[in-house]
Amino acid sequence: MNILMASSESLPFSKTGGLADVIFSLSKEYVKLHHNVSIVLPKYKTNKVIKGLKLTKIFQLDVKMNWRTIPTAVYHCYYLGIDFYFIENQKYFERDSLYGFYDDGERFAYFTNATVKLISSLPYKIDVVHIHDHQVGLLPCVVKTLHSEEEIFNDMKFVLTIHNPEFKGYFSKDSLFDLYNLPISLFDEGKIRLDGQVSTLKAGIVFADKITTVSPTHAKELLTYEGSKGLNFDLNLRKNDFVGILNGMDNDFFNPKKDEYIFKNYGIKDVFNGKKENKIEFCKKYNLDPTLPLFVVVSRLSSQKGIDLLYPMIEFLSYTGSNVAIVGSGEKSIEDRFLELSRVNSKHIFIYIGYNEELAHKVYASSDFLLMPSSFEPCGLSQMIAQKYGSLPVVRRTGGLADTVDCFETSDEEKKAKDITKNGFGFSSYSISEAIVTAAKAMNIYSGKKEVYKKMVKNAMKLNHTRDNSAKKYIALYESIQK
Ligand code: GLC
């Protein structure tokens, strides 16, 4: 099959969150399954340069947006079996970060239109265009409304994956023609209208042939009023074409046995010595006491991640005999709150603001627990990585966290260590007291019931959340819509 992934970010070139990991790791898996896979991305100023990899200019396209015709260069490289295409535009993509600009709607409208143009310029026919999140949400609508007569688009199928339902891609009705050359009637009939505005995410839901999200539990949540972030009505109309497929993780990149970033490699057999050595080095480097339990946070710092719970949890843990290390970046106000917390208790709290892959790996390897009390979590990757590195997740049971962490229950306290099957700790309601009680439970098991803790660590490391499972499910989904 010829598959094109259309996304606003992907490793190894651009990343702000889990989306970038998923696009790249799924695509690598498709290559292994002998599919022809391409990824189209914006050519951001901040794109990572890979040593020895040269981008070649292959097309010059004219992208039409109402009265404007924008000359567009498309660059290409072939990397690990994947064809990467980059859409160049100085005005839209030569900026210091990926998102957060007043004209994001226009920037990604341009990217969507350019991608449609690219598809029609390729020397082969794409079978499935897999679009991700709101940035490219209008793509199926554009093709089906404006290009249905063109041979190259005949039989082309579209799959939308919702990684984050919070962002709807809103813009005003008046811009619909200006940005996408689309008729206002699409808005007036309600097809792409949400909350009185155009929503590119809703357009994806209405016009894609199949819709997915990134875990089965989150799929169920999205069909409910409370958990859908306003998408339940439209998703329920497409219920039969909507499914949750759990993301996998890259087991080669995240493997404590051969991870080049960590202080000492280890596997399940020598996990406790291995983690101890990592922790000693880590604590030495950042002035923490290595004899204390180490809880960590590796996260985008946004309210989605349960900051209102995280903050008191960190405060509680750091004042009751644990250390906490935080690696992440995001909203400035949240960064400042955490920086202040670490400033007043620097003996127990280490914080690094920024995205630092190497440090993140060190943190997974050195820690005993990962905190992830998200307010909602379509899938989440950090908890799976933590488990793989033998660090037990302490989570709020929502979305993908509920699907990947089997939480220690009160009834487990009666059991012998060898009979414990659990691999993390969790709580359900969005409540500070539940969050703190759960963190305290984790700490007590760690200090008072070492054998139970050790069994849970081994259970976690044995889990196999691999990306090949999810790749096979997506391929089966693509096949189900081929004629
Ligand atoms: C978004 C979601 C996260 C998910 C990731 C990749 O960042 O918030 O839960 O793991 O996308 O699908």
Side-chain angles (χ1 to χ4, degrees):
M1 232 183 303
N2 291 332
I3 304 161
L4 175 75
M5 301 283 236
S7 170
S8 57
E9 56 182 88
S10 172
L11 281 177
F13 301 102
S14 46
K15 165 165 171 162
T16 65
L19 171 64
D21 296 86
V22 174
I23 303 295
F24 188 43
S25 65
L26 257 187
S27 302
K28 281 193 283 184
E29 217 50 47
Y30 293 164
V31 171
K32 278 197 207 153
L33 296 169
H34 307 293
H35 293 288
N36 182 2
V37 49
S38 316
I39 302 179
V40 55
L41 297 166
K43 191 167 179 289
Y44 298 112
K45 178 173 122 188
T46 51
N47 273 3
K48 193 167 164 203
V49 177
I50 311 274
K51 232 177 160 184
L53 191 68
K54 201 172 158 305
L55 307 194
T56 321
K57 186 167 158 185
I58 52 160
F59 293 125
Q60 179 73 37
L61 309 173
D62 281 337
V63 177
K64 229 178 116 20
M65 288 164 81
N66 187 4
W67 51 270
R68 290 167 287 187
T69 299
I70 308 173
T72 299
V74 180
Y75 287 75
H76 169 266
C77 74
Y78 187 68
Y79 183 59
L80 301 181
I82 302 166
D83 284 294
F84 281 91
Y85 296 98
F86 300 91
I87 306 292
E88 183 186 57
N89 184 297
Q90 306 246 332
K91 175 175 158 215
Y92 292 133
F93 302 131
E94 286 289 308
R95 302 190 185 182
D96 292 335
S97 56
L98 269 54
Y99 319 117
F101 302 99
Y102 74 96
D103 58 348
D104 279 358
E106 181 177 326
R107 296 168 71 224
F108 290 102
Y110 164 76
F111 177 62
T112 303
N113 292 323
T115 300
V116 173
K117 193 78 194 196
L118 168 69
I119 295 172
S120 67
S121 312
L122 290 174
Y124 53 90
K125 204 168 163 175
I126 300 286
D127 299 305
V128 177
V129 182
H130 190 161
I131 58 170
H132 299 268
D133 278 346
H134 69 94
Q135 289 91 349
V136 277
L138 259 162
L139 195 145
C141 173
V142 169
V143 171
K144 290 182 182 181
T145 313
L146 302 177
H147 302 279
S148 59
E149 304 294 305
E150 293 167 39
E151 208 267 323
I152 190 99
F153 293 107
N154 285 350
D155 307 320
M156 192 176 284
K157 300 294 179 198
F158 300 91
V159 174
L160 161 72
T161 293
I162 303 173
H163 297 262
N164 196 331
E166 195 151 48
F167 302 111
K168 309 292 195 306
Y170 286 128
F171 62 87
S172 79
K173 135 183 181 177
D174 305 333
S175 305
L176 190 57
F177 187 68
D178 271 353
L179 298 182
Y180 287 95
N181 316 309
L182 284 168
I184 298 289
S185 56
L186 280 169
F187 177 88
D188 293 336
E189 288 160 10
K191 279 195 172 149
I192 58 174
R193 183 175 69 213
L194 192 68
D195 294 333
Q197 299 180 76
V198 176
S199 157
T200 57
L201 187 63
K202 165 158 171 174
I205 294 172
V206 172
F207 281 88
D209 298 286
K210 291 280 176 190
I211 306 135
T212 73
T213 189
V214 286
S215 69
T217 296
H218 193 57
K220 283 189 211 139
E221 291 168 349
L222 284 180
L223 293 171
T224 66
Y225 174 74
E226 298 77 19
S228 78
K229 307 269 166 203
L231 297 173
N232 58 316
F233 181 79
D234 296 300
L235 280 170
N236 271 296
L237 291 176
R238 299 293 320 271
K239 205 171 164 178
N240 294 335
D241 292 312
F242 176 48
V243 61
I245 298 178
L246 191 68
N247 283 340
M249 57 175 282
D250 190 331
N251 271 328
D252 298 324
F253 190 53
F254 295 109
N255 182 350
K257 266 192 186 161
K258 46 185 191 192
D259 189 329
E260 287 172 9
Y261 291 147
I262 65 180
F263 295 109
K264 161 117 180 101
N265 291 115
Y266 61 91
I268 197 159
K269 289 203 181 103
D270 56 349
V271 50
F272 300 109
N273 277 337
K275 286 188 76 69
K276 193 171 166 188
E277 285 191 41
N278 276 289
K279 192 179 182 179
I280 290 174
E281 289 302 318
F282 181 84
C283 289
K284 196 155 69 183
K285 200 159 172 194
Y286 298 111
N287 298 321
L288 298 169
D289 177 352
T291 63
L292 301 181
L294 178 61
F295 288 73
V296 297
V297 177
V298 182
S299 182
R300 254 187 307 122
L301 300 178
S302 73
S303 57
Q304 181 202 336
K305 300 296 174 182
I307 303 300
D308 301 331
L309 305 185
L310 205 46
Y311 191 87
M313 280 168 107
I314 294 172
E315 214 172 15
F316 166 79
L317 289 164
S318 59
Y319 283 104
T320 52
S322 294
N323 290 328
V324 183
I326 305 159
V327 179
S329 64
E331 290 164 31
K332 178 85 175 55
S333 58
I334 302 175
E335 292 178 356
D336 289 347
R337 261 176 96 184
F338 283 125
L339 280 167
E340 178 61 14
L341 198 59
S342 75
R343 194 187 60 76
V344 292
N345 193 2
S346 59
K347 263 177 84 180
H348 292 281
I349 303 176
F350 162 75
I351 182 160
Y352 175 91
I353 297 288
Y355 165 65
N356 183 328
E357 193 73 43
E358 178 169 347
L359 184 61
H361 287 231
K362 287 192 163 71
V363 157
Y364 288 121
S366 311
S367 59
D368 305 300
F369 297 99
L370 173 95
L371 300 175
M372 205 164 167
S374 305
S375 76
F376 72 98
E377 195 61 76
C379 181
L381 201 59
S382 304
Q383 82 280 14
M384 299 193 232
I385 303 171
Q387 286 169 326
K388 178 93 189 182
Y389 282 74
S391 177
L392 296 181
V394 181
V395 303
R396 183 165 164 263
R397 273 188 267 215
T398 177
L401 295 170
D403 290 331
T404 51
V405 184
D406 193 1
C407 301
F408 189 85
E409 310 272 358
T410 330
S411 57
D412 289 315
E413 295 187 46
E414 311 303 321
K415 291 187 185 148
K416 294 205 178 91
K418 71 174 181 36
D419 298 326
I420 301 280
T421 56
K422 305 300 156 101
N423 51 46
F425 295 86
F427 57 98
S428 294
S429 59
Y430 197 75
S431 116
I432 293 181
S433 55
E434 272 200 40
I436 288 184
V437 166
T438 309
K441 158 115 324 161
M443 201 157 91
N444 289 343
I445 297 285
Y446 176 87
S447 343
K449 294 198 168 179
K450 248 326 183 274
E451 291 314 307
V452 172
Y453 173 77
K454 287 186 170 176
K455 178 68 184 2
M456 288 177 73
V457 167
K458 293 200 167 180
N459 294 342
M461 289 181 83
K462 279 187 200 149
L463 291 170
N464 196 14
H465 304 299
T466 55
R467 61 183 188 202
D468 42 332
N469 294 338
S470 67
K472 282 184 192 136
K473 287 188 181 153
Y474 277 111
I475 294 292
L477 186 80
Y478 300 162
E479 280 167 355
S480 76
I481 46 177
Q482 299 299 301
K483 69 167 174 107

